[in-house]
């Protein structure tokens, strides 16, 4: 964490100095705004938290509830999401209060006594070490709380506007704020408000994001519909406190009985609470409404039948529901008609359950929804601050709709397997085999964006085989030269809207100018810092810090003690803050026990790895191809009007 460069800070350094709209943020919902987000679920809150890092952009997020969510339905937090939380500054805190999944048990009918269940397998949750972060279980409400803290501590000083319901919108063809939105007050007037419950009003926005759930009013307003099927299988879900003799009650389990259905058991945070997804069987046409009336007592009875010879005596029910598995997705995640693709820029977007729904048992809903919001948030920030053309916004639907469809295809397979009786499976181990073989997908690491204006071709992938273009940047240990500290390189990238450029050096060690060996890295760094064609010189406004758009780091092949910070080129020692201080935290050597060049397949000739603000690898390029780097960013950023 960097602070003090604008002056001495004695209070919580996570509370950033207010700027822009945060200097005098109106308490009452204004008539005009840059971005209006509808819904404070995971997709909406992460988008708001990201936009809060752009204080020049006036963003508001509304919610029809009178206050914060108290009981959240989602609880599974995959490792990819925890990586994202690290960027927003609360991975450690939420991990400390969460339940950690390290393995999963599979229970099936005992071959000797099929009326009973027995444990048949207990595989590790992440046997291949695909992430250094854990798989967590924690209440969705706590996730939203942490994003709320991030917003409140941001330069924008953002907070949700509770008690406002979305009624409809109209997109006009002209005007600075062309999206007309009608709202209704649902809760008591807040401080400074003159609108009481039931009052309607109109606001105007440049862009609107509908993150308002499966019954999205924003989706309906732009004419999008969820397409797909609703499977004819019902499940009862309940969060309970209970007395039981089941030995794996504090371990994630898939339980299949001979004839009584299946259970997915999820231990909850806090050491006592657990969740059960209990099979309620097939739903015949027209019986859905009746099945949804299933009482919690009937769900508990079904659970005990499935778990025989073990019993569960429920003492307290924190929450329960009944649902039918559905797999549906919209064809686009914005308001641009298919026939106008490439001709018109979007003004309205949908995210999360508003555009894709699936079963809860794969633990993906909240996770994929948050990546929707993260993907869109930085793009809106770049466009509204004048850094990028509005065409950037079309990449949101193009990228995320494919991911949602992939999720639904995966969830169909998992849900079908969970609903099958063991005797119907060709292979008795089909369920656990599928779980182990596909672990990278539910962990959130199968996303791979295809080439676009923000993701390059994988022409030079052999230079960094461990950083596939289009996939998330996987962290690795390095040692910081300035102080010798071993650090995870990826953990240093915060959700501040900046692009990351990682320069992996060729073989020569850095040295004083008169002793330095000729190297491709040195030439590249000189070009980056001095040439008018470099992205830093071309796109960074002169009035801003040198690292305001690009966070540039160098990783040398030598150990950190073999050279000094001052031996590295000037490009890696940017001037920051009003006092013109030198940042010395961007220069790294290899860790003696974990050589990043070996672990991530980095060529000893060196290379450049470009990473997007949402942590996905955008390009891999040779150190010698400076024009390719310049051309790539020229297609994303507008030229700064006051560039040096």
């Amino acid at each position: 964490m960097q602070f003090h460069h604008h002056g001495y800070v004695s209070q919580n350094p996570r509370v950033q100095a207010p700027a822009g709209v945060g200097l005098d943020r109106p308490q009452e919902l204004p008539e005009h705004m840059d971005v209006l987000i509808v819904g404070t679920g995971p997709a909406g809150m992460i988008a708001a938290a990201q936009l809060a890092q752009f204080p020049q952009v006036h963003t508001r997020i509304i919610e029809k509830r009178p206050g914060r969510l108290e009981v959240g339905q989602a609880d599974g937090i995959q490792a990819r999401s925890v990586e994202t939380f690290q960027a927003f500054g609360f991975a450690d805190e939420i991990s400390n209060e969460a339940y950690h999944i390290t393995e999963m048990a599979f229970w099936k009918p005992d071959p000797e006594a099929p009326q009973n269940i027995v444990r048949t397998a207990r595989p590790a949750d992440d046997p291949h070490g695909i992430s250094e972060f854990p798989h967590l279980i924690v209440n969705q409400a706590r996730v939203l709380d942490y994003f709320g803290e991030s917003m409140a501590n941001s330069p924008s000083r953002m907070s949700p506007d509770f008690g406002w319901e979305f009624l409809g919108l109209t997109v006009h063809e002209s005007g600075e704020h062309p999206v007309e939105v009608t709202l209704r007050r649902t809760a008591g007037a807040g401080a400074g408000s003159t609108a009481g419950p039931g009052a309607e009003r109109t606001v105007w926005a440049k862009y609107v994001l509908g993150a308002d759930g499966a019954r999205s009013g924003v989706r309906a307003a732009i004419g999008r519909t969820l397409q797909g099927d609703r499977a004819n299988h019902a499940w009862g879900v309940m969060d309970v406190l209970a007395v039981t003799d089941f030995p794996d009650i504090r371990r994630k389990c898939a339980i299949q009985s001979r004839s009584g259905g299946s259970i997915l058991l999820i231990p909850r945070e806090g050491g006592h609470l657990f969740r059960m997804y209990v099979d309620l069987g097939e739903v015949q046409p027209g019986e859905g409404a009746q099945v949804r009336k299933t009482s919690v007592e009937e769900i508990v009875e079904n659970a005990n039948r499935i778990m025989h010879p073990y019993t569960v005596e429920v003492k307290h029910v924190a929450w329960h529901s009944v649902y039918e598995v559905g797999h549906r997705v919209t064809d686009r995640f914005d308001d641009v008609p298919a026939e106008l693709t490439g001709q018109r820029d979007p003004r309205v977007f949908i995210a999360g359950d508003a555009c894709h729904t699936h079963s809860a048992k794969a633990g993906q809903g909240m996770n994929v929804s948050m990546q929707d919001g993260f993907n869109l948030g930085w793009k809106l920030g770049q466009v509204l601050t004048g850094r990028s053309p509005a065409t950037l916004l079309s990449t949101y639907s193009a990228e995320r709709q494919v991911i949602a469809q992939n999720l639904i295809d995966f969830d169909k397979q998992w849900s079908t397997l969970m609903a099958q009786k063991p005797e119907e499976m060709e292979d008795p181990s089909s369920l656990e085999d599928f779980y182990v073989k596909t672990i990278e997908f539910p962990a959130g690491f199968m996303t791979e964006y295809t080439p676009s204006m923000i993701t390059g071709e994988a022409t030079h992938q052999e230079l960094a085989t461990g950083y596939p273009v289009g996939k998330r940047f996987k962290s690795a240990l390095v040692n910081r030269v300035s102080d010798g500290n071993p650090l995870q390189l990826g953990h240093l990238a915060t959700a501040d809207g900046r692009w990351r450029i990682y320069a992996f050096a060729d073989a020569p060690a850095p040295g004083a100018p008169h002793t330095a060996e000729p190297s491709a890295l040195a030439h590249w760094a000189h070009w980056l810092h001095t040439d008018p064609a470099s992205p830093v010189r071309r796109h960074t406004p002169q009035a801003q810090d040198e690292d305001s758009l690009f966070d540039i780091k160098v990783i040398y092949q030598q150990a950190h003690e073999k050279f000094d910070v001052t031996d590295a080129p000037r490009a890696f020692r940017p001037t920051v803050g009003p006092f013109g201080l030198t940042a010395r935290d961007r220069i790294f050597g290899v860790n003696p026990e974990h050589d990043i060049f070996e672990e991530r397949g980095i060529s000893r000739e060196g290379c450049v790895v470009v990473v997007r603000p949402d942590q996905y690898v955008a390009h891999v390029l040779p150190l010698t191809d400076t024009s390719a780097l310049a051309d790539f960013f020229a297609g994303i950023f507008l030229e700064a009007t006051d560039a040096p």
Side-chain angles (χ1 to χ4, degrees):
M1 180 182 295
Q2 291 285 301
F3 54 97
H4 292 319
H5 53 294
H6 284 259
Y8 177 67
V9 176
S10 65
Q11 297 179 328
N12 183 358
R14 296 185 184 277
V15 179
Q16 299 169 274
V21 68
L23 293 170
D24 188 23
R25 184 177 179 84
Q27 289 187 328
E28 174 71 359
L29 191 69
E31 184 176 358
H32 295 89
M33 62 206 72
D34 293 319
V35 181
L36 176 65
I37 300 172
V38 181
T40 59
M45 288 295 278
I46 192 173
Q50 176 66 102
L51 280 162
Q53 293 298 321
F54 295 86
Q56 311 96 311
V57 178
H58 191 170
T59 302
R60 309 294 292 217
I61 178 168
I62 63 170
E63 171 59 57
K64 64 181 180 181
R65 290 193 313 272
R68 67 176 288 273
L69 181 71
E70 293 187 2
V71 179
Q73 296 182 13
D75 60 1
I77 305 294
Q78 304 295 359
R80 172 69 188 113
S81 295
V82 187
E83 286 185 351
T84 303
F85 298 161
Q86 176 68 30
F88 282 90
F90 60 85
D92 290 343
E93 289 89 339
I94 202 167
S95 295
N96 288 340
E97 66 182 71
Y99 171 81
H100 291 228
I101 296 177
T102 56
E103 57 187 21
M104 180 173 179
F106 290 84
W107 289 73
K108 295 184 178 178
D110 185 345
E112 304 300 324
Q115 72 275 17
N116 298 335
I117 58 170
V118 293
R119 187 193 301 119
T120 59
R122 192 162 60 189
D125 188 69
D126 182 10
H128 306 298
I130 56 178
S131 176
E132 71 278 11
F133 285 106
H135 181 182
L136 305 178
I137 301 295
V138 69
N139 189 348
Q140 174 182 320
R142 294 296 295 136
V143 176
L144 303 185
D145 287 345
Y146 279 112
F147 279 124
E149 288 181 21
S150 176
M151 292 158 51
N153 293 340
S154 74
S156 300
R157 294 295 190 267
M158 195 188 305
S159 60
D161 293 289
F162 290 110
W164 286 105
E165 180 182 13
F166 173 88
L167 296 181
L169 64 76
T170 302
V171 180
H172 298 276
E173 295 184 2
S174 61
E176 185 179 1
H177 298 81
V179 188
E180 179 184 2
V181 185
T182 305
L183 307 174
R184 178 191 295 131
R185 200 74 161 113
T186 60
S193 174
T194 57
E200 295 185 10
R201 62 171 298 193
T202 298
V203 298
W204 300 78
K206 294 178 180 177
Y207 298 99
V208 170
L209 168 59
D212 48 341
R215 296 180 177 84
S216 171
V218 176
R219 182 186 66 232
I222 62 174
R224 299 288 178 208
T225 56
L226 288 168
Q227 302 293 330
D229 61 88
R230 181 182 294 276
N232 59 342
H233 208 99
W235 296 81
V237 55
M238 55 183 180
D239 285 338
V240 299
L241 298 172
V243 175
T244 179
D245 57 351
F246 183 62
D248 281 347
I249 202 68
R250 296 304 301 167
R251 181 179 285 115
K252 181 181 178 182
C253 297
I255 305 169
Q256 294 176 296
S257 69
R258 188 69 172 178
S259 57
S262 304
I263 291 174
L264 182 66
L265 170 65
I266 308 290
R268 293 291 303 269
E269 67 280 11
H272 299 282
L273 192 71
F274 61 90
R275 172 170 292 186
M276 279 186 166
Y277 293 94
V278 182
D279 191 347
L280 299 181
E282 300 291 328
V283 180
Q284 300 303 317
E287 293 183 359
Q290 185 63 35
V291 170
R292 287 190 288 275
K293 295 179 182 178
T294 302
S295 68
V296 69
E297 290 78 15
E298 291 175 278
I299 298 173
V300 173
E301 183 180 344
N302 266 32
N304 276 287
R305 185 180 305 116
I306 294 168
M307 295 178 69
H308 189 271
Y310 304 102
T311 60
V312 174
E313 183 183 354
V314 173
K315 298 294 187 178
H316 174 73
V317 179
W319 172 80
H320 80 283
S321 182
V322 175
Y323 71 95
E324 297 169 72
V325 176
H327 306 97
R328 295 180 292 169
V329 63
T330 60
D331 60 338
R332 291 185 63 91
F333 290 4
D334 61 31
D335 65 329
V336 178
E339 65 273 14
L340 294 180
T341 301
Q343 303 176 43
R344 207 203 90 183
D345 297 322
R347 286 287 180 177
V348 183
F349 310 87
I350 48 178
D353 287 354
C355 46
H356 49 81
T357 64
H358 33 81
S359 81
K361 294 184 298 302
Q364 286 296 293
M366 175 163 52
N367 298 276
V368 175
S369 295
M370 286 189 290
Q371 295 305 318
D372 289 346
F374 198 10
N375 182 291
L376 180 61
W378 68 266
K379 295 173 181 178
L380 283 168
Q382 282 197 189
V383 170
L384 286 163
T385 52
R387 300 175 183 177
S388 297
T391 51
L392 174 63
L393 301 177
S394 296
T395 64
Y396 167 68
S397 179
E399 290 185 333
R400 295 306 300 172
Q401 201 275 345
V402 174
I403 303 305
Q405 187 61 60
N406 291 343
L407 165 62
I408 285 173
D409 294 342
F410 169 83
D411 187 47
K412 282 183 178 180
Q413 291 180 275
W414 177 249
S415 297
T416 300
L417 284 171
M418 278 294 300
Q420 275 188 307
K421 296 177 181 179
E423 61 268 26
E424 295 175 349
M425 293 183 174
E426 294 183 9
D427 185 337
S429 63
S430 294
L431 187 63
E432 51 263 47
D433 289 348
F434 181 81
Y435 175 80
V436 172
K437 290 176 182 177
T438 62
I439 190 64
E440 193 173 359
F441 190 98
F445 298 121
M446 286 300 288
T447 295
E448 186 169 358
Y449 294 130
T450 55
S452 67
M453 67 181 289
I454 52 174
T455 303
E457 299 281 353
T459 308
H460 301 285
Q461 189 65 73
E462 75 281 357
L463 297 176
T465 57
Y467 289 123
V469 175
K471 298 195 76 171
R472 123 285 192 182
F473 181 84
K474 186 176 181 180
S475 186
L477 272 173
V478 291
N479 280 36
R480 191 163 55 196
V481 175
S482 62
D483 54 17
N485 278 316
L487 300 166
Q488 285 283 348
L489 185 62
H491 297 192
L492 304 176
T494 58
D496 54 15
R498 292 187 298 169
W499 286 71
R500 267 73 203 180
I501 301 177
Y502 297 97
F504 290 90
D506 50 350
H514 62 284
T515 61
E517 300 176 63
S519 83
L521 184 280
H523 287 294
W524 180 87
H526 180 74
W527 168 83
L528 190 72
H529 184 64
T530 63
D531 197 302
S534 90
V536 175
R537 301 281 292 178
R538 185 175 181 182
H539 304 299
T540 305
Q542 192 169 11
Q544 296 183 13
D545 285 351
E546 292 177 358
D547 64 349
S548 60
L549 295 189
F550 303 103
D551 177 17
I552 304 164
K553 293 180 169 65
V554 62
I555 303 93
Y556 286 97
Q557 298 184 31
Q558 291 75 24
H560 75 277
E561 67 268 17
K562 299 298 184 182
F563 59 97
D564 292 323
V565 165
T566 49
D567 294 334
R570 171 68 174 77
F572 307 119
R573 294 179 282 120
T575 298
V576 298
F579 305 115
L581 304 180
T582 300
R584 296 170 176 261
D585 61 333
R586 321 294 164 90
I587 304 162
F588 301 87
V590 293
N591 182 279
E593 297 178 2
H594 299 276
D595 186 335
I596 189 173
F597 285 82
E598 294 293 331
E599 292 189 354
R600 298 293 176 265
I602 307 297
S603 169
R604 294 296 174 175
E605 296 178 1
C607 69
V608 177
V609 177
V610 179
V611 179
R612 301 166 14 160
D614 56 357
Q615 303 174 316
Y616 286 88
V617 177
H619 225 329
V620 172
L621 292 167
L623 288 167
T624 53
D625 197 351
T626 55
S627 61
L629 185 66
D631 291 345
F632 176 69
F633 280 116
I636 299 170
F637 284 96
L638 300 172
E639 193 161 344
T641 55
D642 65 338

